[in-house]
Amino acid sequence: MGEITNVMEYEAIAKEKLPKMVFDYYASGAEDQWTLQENRNAFSRILFRPRILIDVSKIDMNTTVLGFKISMPIMIAPTAMQKMAHPEGEYATARAASAAGTIMTLSSWSTSSVEEVASTGPGIRFFQLYVYKDRNVVAQLVRRAERAGFKAIALTVDTPRLGRREADIKNRFTLPPFLTLKNFQGLDLGKMDEANDSGLAAYVAGQIDRSLSWKDVKWLQTITKLPILVKGVLTAEDARIAVQAGAAGIIVSNHGARQLDYVPATIMALEEVVKATQGRIPVFLDGGVRRGTDVFKALALGASGIFIGRPVVYSLAAEGEKGVRRVLEMLREEFELAMALSGCRSLKEITRDHIVTEWDASLPRPVPRL
Ligand code: FNR
């Protein structure tokens, strides 16, 4: 294997190493996978307007998320069942995030428990929540996450039912028998039955609350003091409701294109959400971020930070903790370079004028003067 020089190269390595059922689960999007491609393609249609002759000998990427200081605006999204990728699974991810000085979000459906992940050592961690029909399960889990030192809840709101991921249906995807959804082990909800289609889709249909609504965001606030990030917002309308409902932040996400196909790429939806929140709460983005330039573009459109999903599971599969560290390092280095080459020394110097999008075309541009 030659030297790995970008985050995307881990995908092919993971594909070679992992059983087909596991790789397909990580890689797939819903139905035609139009949104999956668009999450990447949309970034490529946004161009830079770099500024020159600015002293960029010092670049500061530090930032604060919900009051927590981190080393860069690049964080880890929740991805389920990481021990399918590597025996160390979520432990490796937690250690890599902590070494990089950034935030890891742990999935509800992790193969290590909140307590186990906490025991890996210090680190700022968020907990992603799926709301089960049985609210006692939810209340207990939130309490455990709080006690284990998790700092925020990322409430996933785009999954009342599981999107149709055809590879999982064909593969009859189910959690391998030697693993459990560790947070739910003691509650007898840690196993996924084999089904005649996707075992995960059947699990979701049985356990996850389809009736979830804004009133439950209020309910969640009565059972926890942790700040709540609403994960899965794609419109200005919902952004405004999220602010009113007391969300501490919004994650513009289409679940890595695994839920409703033909929703826009997240980078296309970002700006309308940012405008709707009127600076009252921070807006984050995930989906298709693979380059430092992507991070820059998201910040230029108003994001306070981004999260990565698949690059983490692919690099875990390839090299465990070392791989995830490398992914975070490469994105950090690329982002720093993008800042330097566009003339930005700190995150607050990244502005809307540093990029141009296709929807800017109709706006009057400065008239060239000779
Ligand atoms: C996810 N995602 C996800 N989201 C969530 O809220 N809870 C979860 O358990 C999972 N699990 C999960 C597994 C896998 C394999 C993937 C690829 C994604 C969605 C995830 O948090 C994030 O929104 C996307 O992964 C971001 O897109 P990229 O970076 O994968 O393109």
Side-chain angles (χ1 to χ4, degrees), residues 23-299:
F23 177 79
D24 285 354
Y25 168 70
Y26 289 153
S28 55
E31 298 181 359
D32 294 338
Q33 306 192 117
W34 182 85
T35 299
L36 185 64
Q37 289 185 18
E38 180 67 2
N39 268 356
R40 286 294 308 134
N41 291 341
F43 275 114
S44 72
R45 298 192 301 263
I46 298 174
L47 304 179
F48 277 79
R49 299 183 67 246
R51 300 301 307 277
I52 53 164
L53 293 176
I54 292 167
D55 175 354
V56 290
S57 52
K58 286 200 188 73
I59 303 282
D60 180 8
M61 289 178 282
N62 287 306
T63 191
T64 303
V65 168
L66 302 180
F68 298 98
K69 287 206 169 91
I70 54 175
S71 67
M72 57 181 177
I74 301 166
M75 298 168 277
I76 295 185
T79 51
M81 304 176 244
Q82 295 183 359
K83 283 191 180 172
M84 294 193 308
H86 188 273
E88 301 255 301
E90 293 84 5
Y91 304 135
T93 305
R95 291 193 187 107
S98 164
T102 193
I103 291 166
M104 169 196 186
T105 315
L106 183 71
S107 166
S108 274
W109 295 336
S110 49
T111 39
S112 318
S113 66
V114 286
E115 293 83 6
E116 288 171 330
V117 170
S119 76
T120 60
I124 303 156
R125 301 185 187 105
F126 294 169
F127 181 70
Q128 176 269 326
L129 184 67
Y130 278 129
V131 177
Y132 280 55
K133 289 176 185 167
D134 182 345
R135 292 306 163 87
N136 291 325
V137 167
V138 179
Q140 267 191 51
L141 190 56
V142 168
R143 212 169 309 125
R144 281 170 56 199
E146 234 171 75
R147 274 203 212 115
F150 285 72
K151 302 297 186 206
I153 300 289
L155 176 68
T156 301
V157 295
D158 57 15
T159 312
R161 299 171 59 176
L162 202 72
R164 239 181 116 72
R165 307 164 190 171
E166 292 181 9
D168 292 354
I169 297 169
K170 288 190 208 298
N171 295 334
R172 307 261 186 277
F173 172 77
T174 193
L175 187 65
F178 57 94
L179 295 173
T180 52
L181 302 180
K182 216 45 192 300
N183 290 317
F184 300 97
Q185 195 172 26
L187 300 159
D188 237 17
L189 293 168
K191 288 289 179 190
M192 213 174 276
D193 294 331
E194 281 179 36
N196 55 9
D197 53 12
S198 156
L200 182 61
Y203 181 87
V204 169
Q207 302 304 331
I208 300 303
D209 192 349
R210 289 185 188 185
S211 77
L212 193 72
S213 69
W214 287 107
K215 74 177 182 337
D216 299 301
V217 177
K218 291 277 182 200
W219 168 76
L220 201 55
Q221 287 166 301
T222 68
I223 66 160
T224 182
K225 292 210 166 49
L226 292 179
I228 297 165
L229 298 172
V230 179
K231 176 176 184 280
V233 172
L234 289 171
T235 62
E237 293 89 320
D238 284 333
R240 283 190 283 267
I241 304 175
V243 172
Q244 282 162 13
I250 285 173
I251 305 174
V252 173
S253 172
N254 53 33
H255 211 115
R258 293 156 78 79
Q259 287 296 106
L260 181 62
D261 199 14
Y262 296 98
V263 293
T266 49
I267 195 68
M268 301 293 287
L270 176 63
E271 197 165 32
E272 84 167 63
V273 171
V274 167
K275 284 188 176 150
T277 56
Q278 298 179 313
R280 293 207 276 191
I281 54 175
V283 177
F284 305 92
L285 169 138
D286 72 29
V289 176
R290 302 292 180 266
R291 286 285 190 187
T293 50
D294 299 336
V295 180
F296 186 104
K297 290 170 185 178
L299 267 62

Side-chain angles (χ1 to χ4, degrees), residues 288-338:
V289 176
R290 302 292 180 266
R291 286 285 190 187
T293 50
D294 299 336
V295 180
F296 186 104
K297 290 170 185 178
L299 267 62
L301 287 167
S304 296
I306 63 86
F307 293 83
I308 50 168
R310 290 182 185 82
V312 172
V313 286
Y314 293 152
S315 58
L316 254 186
E319 299 186 301
E321 180 185 335
K322 181 167 161 257
V324 183
R325 281 183 186 235
R326 189 83 187 96
V327 156
L328 291 169
E329 269 164 26
M330 283 190 291
L331 283 177
R332 181 188 175 85
E333 282 165 17
E334 288 179 2
F335 177 53
E336 185 185 34
L337 184 60

